Amino acid sequence: MMVAPGKGLLAADESTATAGKRLAQYGIQDTVETRRLYRELFLDASGIEQYLSGVILYEETTEESADSGTPFVKLLADKGILPGIKVDKGTEPFPGSAGELITNGLVGLSDRLECFAAEGLAFTKWRAVITIDGDKLPTPAAIVENAKRLATYACDAQKAGMVPILEPEVLLSGNHSRIRARDVIADTMKAVFAALEDQSVDLGGIIIKTSMALSGSGSGHPDTPEEVAESTLDALMKGVPPQVPGIVFLSGGQSPEQATDNLRAVARRAQALNAPWPLTFSYARALQEEAMELWRGDAANMPAARAAFLARLRKVSDAARGV
Ligand code: 13P
């Protein structure tokens, strides 16, 4: 269901701090109410169920309701959209390696998952961050520790009856080449699947969320969509076993147009290669950016902002089918 043809996920799981930063970017004051309206803009837009199989929520949003009074979790479920939740507790510096991060959130996770499942949340997400710095980073130690935590989380989520999305995000920032990004993604996936095997996680009940293999944003090298498709599929073919039922992409700082064009090229190449997994989107910024530009916190702009969101969703959904 999560990777049904032509459908994908909206990542609306910005932490409170990240949501505040997003609002500030568009000149909107950060309050509990503006964060709720930020969610309202996207979650109560009519027609999103044509394009979205699921939405990843942040804990704060699961306790809130739309203007209509309907809780956001119910609002999504009523539309036939699976509500999911980010369950990691964010990152902190990885001890012993300057510039690398490790994700927290395993303490008490099983109990939290039980509560989330009881609230009707169907799937979960854990984000790990992998940083590239020339040949120096990532270190094998950071990859392995992040992979182990992803596997422990996946095991706990499956025990709670929820599908885990495993997101080892290889950051776009840096001067590295697309080829270096490809190799880091492949190596990271290999470490993740080794850790999943150690923990006997059911590979038929997970979703992988990944970056595309792009040249670093500071490299000055713009990749063509065909180049991105080639390096991305190379990395995934090397690193992700065929029994995984779906792979979704984050946008990672690509513009809405870039994230759409690159997804289309990836989908076409996957079709040509007969790739074993359905591939689709799980974007935050690339789906939200144009709507946020128009909304800017003013209720009068809500209809235009929602129309822009729907238009982008349609394009991204087409792209996921290679159209
Ligand atoms: P972006 O699409 O903005 O990269 O966000 C997706 C996501 O879920 C990052 O954790």
Side-chain angles (χ1 to χ4, degrees):
M1 281 175 76
M2 290 168 74
V3 292
K7 290 190 180 181
L9 306 173
L10 169 67
D13 61 334
E14 296 82 0
S15 65
T16 308
T18 305
K21 272 188 231 157
R22 292 270 187 283
L23 293 172
Q25 237 177 300
Y26 300 96
I28 307 164
Q29 211 196 339
D30 176 26
T31 65
V32 174
E33 178 57 6
T34 54
R35 287 199 300 277
R36 192 193 64 80
L37 286 168
Y38 168 45
R39 306 313 188 184
E40 167 96 19
L41 161 60
F42 297 104
L43 305 187
D44 208 6
S46 66
I48 57 173
E49 65 277 10
Q50 288 176 75
Y51 312 110
L52 293 179
S53 55
V55 175
I56 316 170
L57 300 168
Y58 186 63
E59 212 167 329
E60 183 179 56
T61 311
T62 65
E63 290 150 16
E64 292 176 332
S65 298
D67 283 351
S68 59
T70 308
F72 283 124
V73 171
K74 181 171 178 349
L75 181 88
L76 292 172
D78 288 350
K79 291 180 198 239
I81 296 173
L82 294 166
I85 183 157
K86 169 193 174 76
V87 299
D88 66 76
K89 294 272 191 182
T91 57
E92 64 176 25
F94 181 56
S97 172
E100 296 194 287
L101 298 168
I102 188 76
T103 304
N104 281 323
L106 291 177
V107 177
L109 180 60
S110 301
D111 292 342
R112 289 170 61 226
L113 286 166
E114 256 180 51
C115 294
F116 294 143
E119 287 167 23
L121 293 153
F123 68 91
T124 58
K125 181 186 107 172
W126 180 284
R127 174 175 177 257
V129 175
I130 305 295
T131 308
I132 302 181
D133 180 4
D135 292 332
K136 286 203 310 266
L137 301 184
T139 60
I143 292 182
V144 167
E145 185 56 27
N146 272 302
K148 281 186 185 165
R149 293 190 187 189
L150 278 160
T152 304
Y153 141 76
C155 193
D156 286 354
Q158 288 188 341
K159 279 187 195 145
M162 300 164 94
V163 172
I165 297 180
L166 287 74
E167 181 186 21
E169 174 173 0
V170 174
L171 293 180
L172 180 60
S173 52
N175 302 320
H176 53 270
S177 68
R178 168 174 67 85
I179 300 308
R180 174 81 174 129
R182 175 197 72 188
D183 295 345
V184 171
I185 292 171
D187 290 348
T188 302
M189 290 301 168
K190 283 182 200 161
V192 168
F193 283 95
L196 290 171
E197 197 183 323
D198 283 348
Q199 303 243 21
S200 306
V201 171
D202 174 6
L203 298 190
I206 66 168
I207 297 280
I208 287 291
K209 178 160 175 168
T210 181
S211 315
M212 296 179 192
L214 300 162
S215 300
S217 53
S219 68
H221 185 280
D223 308 302
T224 66
E226 289 69 30
E227 286 172 334
V228 173
E230 184 186 28
S231 44
T232 301
L233 264 304
D234 279 359
L236 298 177
M237 290 291 207
K238 275 199 198 114
V240 182
Q243 64 266 49
V244 168
I247 299 178
V248 297
F249 293 99
L250 58 101
S251 58
Q254 300 180 66
S255 70
E257 249 345 89
Q258 242 186 326
T260 308
D261 291 345
N262 286 338
L263 180 63
R264 185 184 310 107
V266 166
R268 285 185 183 166
R269 189 167 175 87
Q271 287 163 4
L273 295 175
N274 234 339
W277 350 259
L279 302 170
T280 190
F281 60 91
S282 175
Y283 294 163
R285 285 165 288 177
L287 284 173
Q288 298 179 15
E289 215 169 280
E290 293 150 311
M292 292 296 278
E293 275 293 342
L294 289 164
W295 175 47
R296 298 198 161 264
D298 185 340
N301 298 332
M302 200 66 121
R306 283 183 168 155
F309 176 46
L310 260 289
R312 179 54 58 191
L313 269 178
R314 187 175 324 115
K315 288 181 196 169
V316 171
S317 150
D318 282 348
R321 289 181 290 112
V323 176

